[in-house]
Amino acid sequence: MTKVAIIGAGPCGLSALRSFEQAEKNGEKIPEIVCFDKQEDWGGLWNYSWRTGSDQYGDPVPNSMYRYLWSNGPKECLEFADYSFDEHFGKPIPSFPPRAVLYDYILGRVKKGNIKSKIKFNTSVTNVSYVNSNFEVTYRDKKNDKISKDIFDYVIVSTGHFSVPFIPEYPGMKSFPGRIMHSHDFRDAEEFRGKNVVVLGSSYSAEDVALQCHKYGAKSVTIGYRHNPMGFKWPKGMKEVFHLDRLEGNKAIFKDGHVQEADAVILCTGYLHHFPFISEDLKLKTGNRLYPPMLYKGVVWQNNHKLMYLGMQDQFHTFNMFDCQAWFARDVIMGKIKVPNDSEIEKDINKWVSMEEKLENPEQMIDFQTEYTKELHDLSDYPKINFELIRKTFKEWEHHKVENIMTYRNKSFASPVTGSVGPIHHTPWEEAMDDSLKTFLNK
């Protein structure tokens, strides 16, 4: 009997579990599967936790979600082909739901079968090595502080890469009298009501954390970018300036000469691909990019085809791309897809990496990842979904953000699975202070 370890029960791990469940439903004999997750429940990053720093067992807290987080991309772009929003909620819902609504949707798909019985919760994998043509996986039962070891034929790494913060240091931080935190530890914008907030970064975290602070009453929000500004039309009370030089007392001094009084500095400086539990010869080493090297089809480890990584890309596409990757990985494991020889693999990886290196703007990046996902989709029996509509939706969404960063979440789009159009939400995002499932779904 083939034995498969899945590390992580967030969206990627759940995609993997679902892919095997579907094969079993079709009458195929599936391998024995054990999934490990260090949290006490499934959902990965989509679990909200009040905790920051360490959990009660001394493990770093992986959760990065905050209260009042709303989807920053159209839900239609992440819809599961085999489980539509319409099916889950029994009706079309608006295109930009809050966290609790997406969490409910993700779990709705996996609750029905016996998937949960395959997951060991409160269990952290401490070591993965390849010995005598098998994987040795060492793991710790956190509750009982008990170490165990098991042998597997295949390992799927689905631990995500948005849970270990990258935390730089700037001169003057030691003596800054206010609060300094990474967005990973940001939990509630209410904390910054009436305060002058400096946000460092120029990607999605910086954009959304800055908007949250503004929405919940920060006195001012100043965003410091290093390379390129986001360049949106920010509302009154928000601005973008160039590169923090240093902190002096409670003043943030920027390289363009701008000086800003600050009560808090929030580092939206990104995350590390961090796999301390994987032996060196198996470890993916990459920054956040659309095509990490060493992965055939973005999934299979080039130097050992029994090791798979899911969701390690920087992401426009998410849940349905993870599904396409998981279905592909499953078919490799079950022998339905044959991995080619080393030179073919090298050629294929190089082709994608060199295309990625030429990308210049978000539209080209959307095209690149859409083409990648479509290619994967064609290789397995993952159900039909309209990736051309998703491509078009992503581009419209980018334009809506440029038009007005405060109102892009009030737009609606059509489902690539059912075709139904999301209704306009009853409350514009700027005024929607309650992010509960009940309030959102209530007409």
Side-chain angles (χ1 to χ4, degrees):
M1 182 78 161
T2 306
K3 221 171 151 183
V4 181
I6 298 171
I7 306 174
C12 285
L14 295 176
S15 288
L17 287 161
R18 172 76 169 183
S19 71
F20 284 109
E21 179 188 60
Q22 294 304 90
E24 192 171 36
K25 270 189 187 153
N26 296 339
E28 297 172 54
K29 191 166 168 24
I30 64 165
E32 185 188 335
I33 293 161
V34 183
C35 178
F36 302 92
D37 198 287
K38 59 184 179 184
Q39 295 191 60
E40 57 196 8
D41 207 355
W42 51 4
L45 200 66
W46 291 87
N47 281 320
Y48 170 80
S49 171
W50 61 268
R51 290 181 186 276
T52 58
S54 305
D55 68 12
Q56 66 270 49
Y57 307 108
D59 266 5
V61 170
N63 317 73
S64 299
M65 294 261 171
Y66 37 90
R67 289 181 65 190
Y68 320 124
L69 179 142
W70 293 64
S71 178
N72 64 347
K75 75 177 199 308
E76 288 75 16
C77 294
L78 52 75
E79 195 160 11
F80 299 127
D82 62 346
Y83 188 70
S84 67
F85 280 99
D86 292 2
E87 181 184 341
H88 179 72
F89 291 105
K91 62 180 183 191
I93 66 163
S95 290
F96 292 86
R99 183 201 62 82
V101 176
L102 282 170
Y103 181 66
D104 193 69
Y105 171 64
I106 295 162
L107 297 189
R109 178 168 82 147
V110 288
K111 272 180 176 162
K112 295 191 166 127
N114 67 339
I115 282 178
K116 206 164 195 175
S117 65
K118 298 186 191 316
I119 307 172
K120 290 185 191 295
F121 291 108
N122 280 316
T123 306
S124 49
V125 171
T126 55
N127 193 47
V128 176
S129 51
Y130 192 68
V131 187
N132 304 333
S133 63
N134 284 315
F135 292 98
E136 241 178 46
V137 177
T138 310
Y139 54 93
R140 173 173 157 251
D141 167 351
K142 291 162 63 164
K143 271 189 170 159
N144 303 306
D145 197 17
K146 188 168 160 286
I147 305 272
S148 310
K149 201 178 264 189
D150 210 342
I151 302 294
F152 292 92
D153 300 289
Y154 291 87
V155 169
I156 297 174
V157 180
S158 46
T159 52
H161 57 91
F162 295 119
S163 64
V164 179
F166 167 64
I167 306 176
E169 182 165 10
Y170 286 89
M173 277 183 161
K174 277 196 180 95
S175 51
F176 178 68
R179 175 119 152 86
I180 300 176
M181 69 195 295
H182 190 279
S183 58
H184 174 62
D185 295 333
F186 180 84
R187 288 294 180 267
D188 192 332
E190 280 288 354
E191 181 184 339
F192 304 102
R193 188 179 287 279
K195 302 217 165 120
N196 293 310
V197 181
V198 169
V199 171
L200 301 181
S202 54
S203 193
Y204 296 119
S205 295
E207 173 195 309
D208 202 55
V209 166
L211 288 172
Q212 289 289 351
C213 291
H214 173 78
K215 176 174 167 176
Y216 286 90
K219 186 174 169 186
S220 73
V221 181
T222 306
I223 304 164
Y225 65 90
R226 267 195 328 181
H227 302 299
N228 300 305
M230 291 178 271
F232 297 118
K233 298 176 187 132
W234 303 106
K236 190 175 176 307
M238 289 182 76
K239 58 180 177 292
E240 245 182 319
V241 297
F242 177 61
H243 207 316
L244 181 69
D245 185 52
R246 63 193 188 279
L247 297 170
E248 274 182 17
N250 71 339
K251 290 189 171 61
I253 297 163
F254 293 86
K255 292 192 175 180
D256 58 4
H258 190 87
V259 178
Q260 173 64 48
E261 270 192 25
D263 300 300
V265 176
I266 305 175
L267 303 169
C268 297
T269 43
Y271 291 87
L272 302 169
H273 281 65
H274 188 65
F275 312 105
F277 55 90
I278 299 179
S279 70
E280 280 300 297
D281 55 326
L282 305 170
K283 190 180 293 186
L284 175 66
K285 294 183 175 178
T286 180
N288 195 22
R289 54 186 291 184
L290 290 171
Y291 211 89
M294 303 282 298
L295 295 176
Y296 174 62
K297 300 297 180 206
V299 176
V300 178
W301 183 240
Q302 187 172 2
N303 295 343
N304 185 333
H305 306 162
K306 294 174 167 183
L307 175 66
M308 327 271 172
Y309 282 90
L310 300 183
M312 290 301 156
Q313 296 71 12
D314 193 7
Q315 294 148 17
F316 283 93
H317 296 261
T318 51
F319 301 162
N320 44 46
M321 177 175 79
F322 305 158
D323 275 0
C324 290
Q325 292 180 338
W327 260 249
F328 174 77
R330 174 202 71 188
D331 287 353
V332 170
I333 291 168
M334 290 176 65
K336 290 193 272 187
I337 289 175
K338 198 170 160 5
V339 175
N341 64 41
D342 290 353
S343 69
E344 285 294 308
I345 288 175
E346 180 77 17
K347 214 168 85 185
D348 194 75
I349 292 174
N350 289 345
K351 177 191 88 174
W352 284 101
V353 169
S354 66
M355 282 185 341
E356 181 217 23
E357 282 164 354
K358 294 188 185 85
L359 302 174
E360 286 171 2
N361 58 48
E363 289 227 338
Q364 291 176 4
M365 292 172 188
I366 290 164
D367 284 333
F368 175 86
Q369 197 160 61
T370 304
E371 290 306 323
Y372 161 70
T373 308
K374 280 175 71 175
E375 179 181 275
L376 265 188
H377 184 232
D378 290 342
L379 294 172
S380 76
D381 66 351
Y382 186 60
K384 192 169 167 301
I385 179 169
N386 187 347
F387 280 116
E388 287 309 320
L389 179 61
I390 292 176
R391 183 201 307 259
K392 184 169 153 283
T393 300
F394 270 131
K395 290 181 180 181
E396 281 180 28
W397 160 74
E398 282 282 4
H399 288 299
H400 290 159
K401 284 172 71 176
V402 171
E403 279 165 23
N404 190 336
I405 194 67
M406 295 302 286
T407 60
Y408 78 89
R409 284 185 171 105
N410 305 333
K411 308 287 188 189
S412 70
F413 295 97
S415 162
V417 181
T418 63
S420 68
V421 177
I424 298 290
H425 187 42
H426 54 64
T427 311
W429 172 80
E430 201 177 344
E431 295 156 32
M433 300 298 169
D434 179 346
D435 63 346
S436 68
L437 177 93
K438 189 166 170 274
T439 301
F440 182 78
L441 294 175
N442 198 350
K443 270 288 175 352

